[in-house]
Amino acid sequence: MTIFVALLALVVAIQYVVIAADIVPRFARLAAVPERAITLAKWGAMAFFAGCAVTHLQIAHHMLTGGGGGASAAHLAADHIVPHVAQIVGGVAFISIAKRRLEIRLTTKDTAGHLRDVERRFRATFERSPTGIALLSLGFGRGGQFLQVNPALGRMVGLSPDVLLHERHYEDLVHPGDRERDDVELRAMLAGERNDVELEQRYRHSDGSDVWVQVRASLVRDDDGEPLFNLVQMRDITDERTYSDKLRFLADHDALTGLFNRRRFEEEVDGAVVFARRFQLPASLFVIDLDQFKHVNDGYGHLAGDDLLRTVANVLSARLRDTDIVGRLGGDEFGVICPHTSPAVGELVGRDLLEAIRADAQLHVAERTVRITASIGGKQISGDELATGAELLAEADNAMYEAKEGGRDRLSMVDFAAAAPTQMRARLTWAERIRDGLDGDGFVLWEQPILNLATGICDRSELLIRMVDADGRPVLPGVFLPVAERFGQIQAIDRWVLRLAVELARVRQAAGNHDVLEVNLSGISLTDESLIDDLVSQIKAASIDPTRLIFEVTETAAVANFDDARRFAGRITDLGCQFALDDFGSGFGSFYYLKHLPFDGVKIDGDFVKDLAATKADQLTVQAIVQICAGLGKETTAEFVQNDATIDLLTSYGVDFAQGYHIGKPRPVTAVAEASVFRSPVSMPSPVMARFSAEGPSTSA
């Protein structure tokens, strides 16, 4: 028993030493007393507790030498065991708690200075950060109070940090709609149930505007893992969100009209098909194409054309219900979906849209009113429809072309057309007809003679393309060329024409005929380097006189592809061929582009020529064009010549060539020598040719 008491005394003595040497300095540093005071406190405690330790060492020595041998067990327990055990338990608890709780405070002087520097840097970062930062209280019902706020957050919402600290709750900043949307995450964050929360919200600025904010909240815990507060960082993403919203809008909408674009409209058609099947509710689908819209672009400029497209978009939207869907499919083509519409009502809607465009789609340009009509094709989407959205859209597109072929400004409904639906489904699309025509014998070349006003000889002609229908009748290019442009087939047509034009020049040259051939090209072909390369190769291989080929591009196409037109003109003129601008005068920048494009001649737009003898304004315009071109050493050709009076005026103005039905109508090409790719000639006498034949030289074409 005495040995046990001695051990207890030794343990207590050791505890006194630990308290004097370690714990007391900790308390002194915690009190932020000077280092000298800490040293004095340490040695004072050592003196005090050393005495206590010596006392207990003496007790231990006394017990070990037999000094307590005569005491009873009860006496030893009362005098030594119980007090020493109590001291040991209390000392252990005191030392362990004090060391654990006070350990972070005990640093050297250098470490303390480093910590103060860290604190200053953190405070400077907090105060000067461009990102909003706040510390929020936690807990159900009381979470979300601002404990600390930096100035950036105040600027973000238009309130001072003091107002946020004392008068606002975090939820006061959040837009009511986003507060409801993010309710679960917001509550979890404010209650301290989530370690990390990230979301995008709208804050309400003090001026009433919305501020989009990216919020990142992190739960801060103490050493024991207990939640203390939320550290919330807020970044203003209003500009990013606005830009992102614009990108999303542009991904689904047409930039010019604001309507759905083709991709999104096709998705809506698919959705209408699914809805009709599921709920057995029919809908109507329309494809709308503006009639003669190209003439608006060519005659009044693309800005006027854009204004007219916006007008049509507004007319369609105004006539339809909010639940109806309108889209711009491309160019001058629009699409409409009318849900919950029976076949009879669908036809009425189509006719109403036709009338609305006819009555309200107009544009005022320079004291003139430009009106436009439309060709509309419609298709009913029934509840038992088996076709896909793409197939239905193709059928409506076919119906639209039926309306256009029928004379334009009319409606053609697939389910109500004179032809049976099976006949409509069996009908090849124009795109397919063009492809088949290029692969087979579906196209032919025609030519129209051009009169040399100086010699009275038709020594050149313009090559024209015609499609051959099933009955062998020619189809005018105004019917199929817009389709070819839309479906990317126009370059294939240009290649076909170029190949035959070079072959025709070779055959005629071999036969001693050296008339000039004029060949039209589309604007898109100006950008096709491979097409130009093929043309150069063909001309060189044919060994023809390149000066006998003139390549024409409309003025508007040349302006729209200005750099490409210059490059194309440069290459073919280097080869020896000629380059001309067709329909000259139809655009606003005509005279400006004369000095920037390398050209050999112009064809004066027929609108200035057909009424030349009776219209003073046309006479002045033609004279101005001729004078400028003559000054530049360029040839001029007048189109749409309709009478002798016009020829006399053109001759007096100094125009070089004339073309029109009064000179000679288009006719199938004759190769002068046998060539299987050309049709036999058709005799079409012209009164002007007869006049020149009687007065002087005979025609050579």
Side-chain angles (χ1 to χ4, degrees):
M1 180 65 75
T2 57
I3 294 175
F4 181 64
V5 172
L7 291 175
L8 291 177
L10 286 172
V11 171
V12 172
I14 293 171
Q15 285 182 328
Y16 280 139
V17 173
V18 172
I19 291 172
D22 189 11
I23 303 303
V24 171
R26 289 175 183 266
F27 278 108
R29 289 192 175 92
L30 184 61
V33 299
E35 191 67 30
R36 179 176 295 180
I38 293 175
T39 303
L40 291 174
K42 176 179 178 180
W43 289 109
M46 286 290 289
F48 174 77
F49 287 108
C52 297
V54 169
T55 300
H56 285 77
L57 288 172
Q58 290 175 347
I59 294 173
H61 181 266
H62 179 69
M63 290 296 170
L64 291 173
T65 56
S72 64
H75 179 73
L76 289 174
D79 291 346
H80 296 288
I81 295 177
V82 173
H84 283 98
V85 170
Q87 285 180 308
I88 291 172
V89 173
V92 169
F94 174 73
I95 291 171
S96 62
I97 293 173
K99 290 188 70 173
R100 186 171 71 251
R101 294 295 183 182
L102 301 178
E103 185 175 7
I104 194 171
R105 299 286 185 175
L106 299 179
T107 61
T108 65
K109 184 176 181 179
D110 292 340
T111 304
H114 175 69
L115 290 176
R116 285 192 295 271
D117 290 340
V118 170
E119 182 181 1
R120 281 195 298 269
R121 286 195 293 269
F122 175 79
R123 183 171 296 279
T125 301
F126 183 84
E127 295 293 333
R128 299 174 186 173
S129 172
T131 301
I133 304 175
L135 306 184
L136 299 181
S137 64
L138 302 175
F140 290 101
R142 59 186 180 85
Q145 296 294 334
F146 288 103
L147 303 176
Q148 197 167 353
V149 177
N150 75 338
L153 177 57
R155 291 191 298 270
M156 193 179 298
V157 296
L159 298 171
S160 68
D162 287 340
V163 171
L164 291 172
L165 284 172
H166 301 105
E167 301 179 19
R168 294 290 190 273
H169 186 276
Y170 178 80
E171 289 185 278
D172 296 335
L173 303 184
V174 183
H175 188 283
D178 291 357
R179 201 182 305 159
E180 295 177 5
R181 183 197 64 190
D182 302 329
D183 181 69
V184 174
E185 288 190 325
L186 195 59
R187 295 297 175 187
M189 180 184 82
L190 299 182
E193 296 176 341
R194 296 270 299 274
N195 288 328
D196 296 288
V197 175
E198 183 172 343
L199 44 85
E200 292 183 0
Q201 295 178 318
R202 287 171 295 172
Y203 284 0
R204 298 306 297 268
H205 195 276
S206 60
D207 63 7
S209 62
D210 291 340
V211 181
W212 275 101
V213 181
Q214 184 183 61
V215 180
R216 287 189 175 94
S218 300
L219 188 62
V220 179
R221 300 176 181 271
D222 62 14
D223 291 339
D224 293 332
E226 293 297 322
L228 296 177
F229 54 83
N230 258 319
L231 173 63
V232 185
Q233 301 176 71
M234 307 88 159
R235 186 170 68 89
D236 188 342
I237 59 170
T238 304
D239 291 342
E240 297 175 19
R241 189 70 182 235
T242 301
Y243 182 69
S244 177
D245 290 344
K246 287 182 179 178
L247 289 180
R248 281 195 292 269
F249 180 86
L250 291 175
D252 289 335
H253 294 77
D254 170 54
L256 178 65
T257 62
L259 302 176
F260 281 154
N261 57 23
R262 186 179 190 91
R263 181 192 62 79
R264 177 59 186 275
F265 187 81
E266 290 176 346
E267 291 178 356
E268 294 293 335
V269 175
D270 291 334
V273 172
V274 173
F275 190 89
R277 289 173 183 167
R278 181 175 181 181
F279 298 102
Q280 294 298 304
L281 293 173
S284 296
L285 171 65
F286 300 97
V287 172
I288 303 169
D289 187 85
L290 304 183
D291 298 328
Q292 305 296 342
F293 180 74
K294 181 179 182 296
H295 295 310
V296 177
N297 266 339
D298 292 348
Y300 300 98
H302 289 282
L303 291 179
D306 290 347
D307 287 342
L308 189 56
L309 290 174
R310 282 189 287 264
T311 299
V312 171
N314 293 334
V315 168
L316 294 175
S317 300
R319 279 296 179 102
L320 295 167
R321 303 167 297 182
D322 292 340
T323 54
D324 297 332
I325 299 167
V326 189
R328 182 184 176 203
L329 305 184
D332 59 340
E333 191 171 277
F334 297 84
V336 172
I337 304 172
C338 297
H340 307 172
T341 306
S342 66
V345 173
E347 187 172 13
L348 291 176
V349 170
R351 298 193 182 282
D352 187 54
L353 294 177
L354 195 70
E355 175 60 32
I357 295 173
R358 185 187 301 128
D360 301 328
Q362 52 186 259
L363 187 67
H364 301 284
V365 181
E367 300 182 356
R368 296 189 63 180
T369 299
V370 181
R371 300 180 182 275
I372 202 158
T373 59
S375 299
I376 302 180
K379 175 70 177 78
Q380 193 70 16
I381 304 175
S382 62
D384 56 355
E385 182 62 65
L386 299 179
T388 65
E391 291 170 341
L392 294 177
L393 194 59
E395 289 198 25
D397 199 50
N398 282 338
M400 181 271 291
Y401 278 105
E402 289 285 347
K404 195 170 287 291
E405 290 177 5
R408 299 184 174 89
D409 190 21
R410 63 187 61 210
L411 168 72
S412 175
M413 294 289 293
V414 172
D415 293 337
F416 295 92
T422 54
Q423 181 180 352
M424 174 65 76
R425 289 181 184 273
R427 175 179 172 270
L428 290 174
T429 65
W430 276 105
E432 292 171 328
R433 292 175 65 180
I434 291 171
R435 185 179 63 249
D436 292 344
L438 291 170
D439 292 339
D441 193 24
F443 290 97
V444 293
L445 278 183
W446 285 37
E447 63 181 330
Q448 185 175 19
I450 299 174
L451 178 67
N452 187 323
L453 293 177
T455 64
I457 299 175
C458 289
D459 56 4
R460 65 176 58 185
S461 61
E462 180 179 1
L463 295 181
L464 307 169
I465 188 172
R466 298 288 188 267
M467 177 182 279
V468 181
D469 67 9
D471 298 327
R473 292 174 301 185
V475 180
L476 295 178
V479 176
F480 59 85
L481 285 186
V483 182
E485 291 177 348
R486 177 182 167 204
F487 288 97
Q489 298 170 310
I490 192 67
Q491 288 159 285
I493 291 178
D494 281 350
R495 288 177 183 273
W496 185 90
V497 172
L498 289 174
R499 178 174 59 82
L500 266 66
V502 172
E503 176 63 13
L504 177 62
R506 184 192 66 79
V507 171
R508 287 186 174 179
Q509 180 176 296
N513 184 332
H514 298 286
D515 289 352
V516 174
L517 297 176
E518 297 184 356
V519 184
N520 291 284
L521 290 177
S522 63
I524 191 65
S525 289
L526 297 177
T527 67
D528 190 345
E529 290 290 339
S530 64
L531 182 145
I532 301 173
D533 292 339
D534 289 345
L535 173 62
V536 172
S537 299
Q538 291 173 27
I539 292 175
K540 290 181 177 179
S543 298
I544 60 175
D545 180 3
T547 62
R548 301 301 179 180
L549 287 176
I550 299 177
F551 296 97
E552 297 180 0
V553 178
T554 63
E555 178 205 352
T556 51
V559 171
N561 305 277
F562 185 72
D563 292 335
D564 296 316
R566 292 187 64 180
R567 184 165 53 253
F568 175 83
R571 290 195 63 183
I572 66 166
T573 52
D574 289 343
L575 187 63
C577 300
Q578 299 181 60
F579 179 69
L581 294 177
D582 197 7
D583 297 336
F584 186 79
S586 60
F588 290 111
S590 301
F591 295 113
Y592 172 79
Y593 287 103
L594 283 180
K595 68 176 184 178
H596 292 287
L597 278 173
F599 67 99
D600 298 285
V602 300
K603 274 194 174 180
I604 303 170
D605 191 283
D607 282 344
F608 299 114
V609 178
K610 61 183 179 181
D611 298 320
L612 183 68
T615 307
K616 187 65 175 179
D618 290 342
Q619 294 172 12
L620 294 174
T621 302
V622 171
Q623 288 181 39
I625 294 175
V626 173
Q627 289 175 7
I628 293 175
C629 289
L632 295 173
K634 311 298 182 182
E635 294 180 342
T636 51
T637 302
E639 300 178 300
F640 291 13
V641 175
Q642 298 184 3
N643 50 56
D644 288 347
T646 300
I647 291 179
D648 292 338
L649 281 174
L650 294 173
T651 303
S652 66
Y653 295 160
V655 175
D656 298 299
F657 299 93
Q659 180 181 1
Y661 277 19
H662 192 62
I663 306 296
K665 294 182 179 181
R667 60 187 181 183
V669 161
T670 173
V672 179
E674 291 295 326
S676 60
V677 294
F678 302 113
R679 300 296 179 92
S680 59
V682 175
S683 176
M684 291 186 177
S686 163
V688 173
M689 287 184 180
R691 188 187 75 170
F692 274 106
S693 177
E695 295 177 355
S698 61
T699 63
S700 62

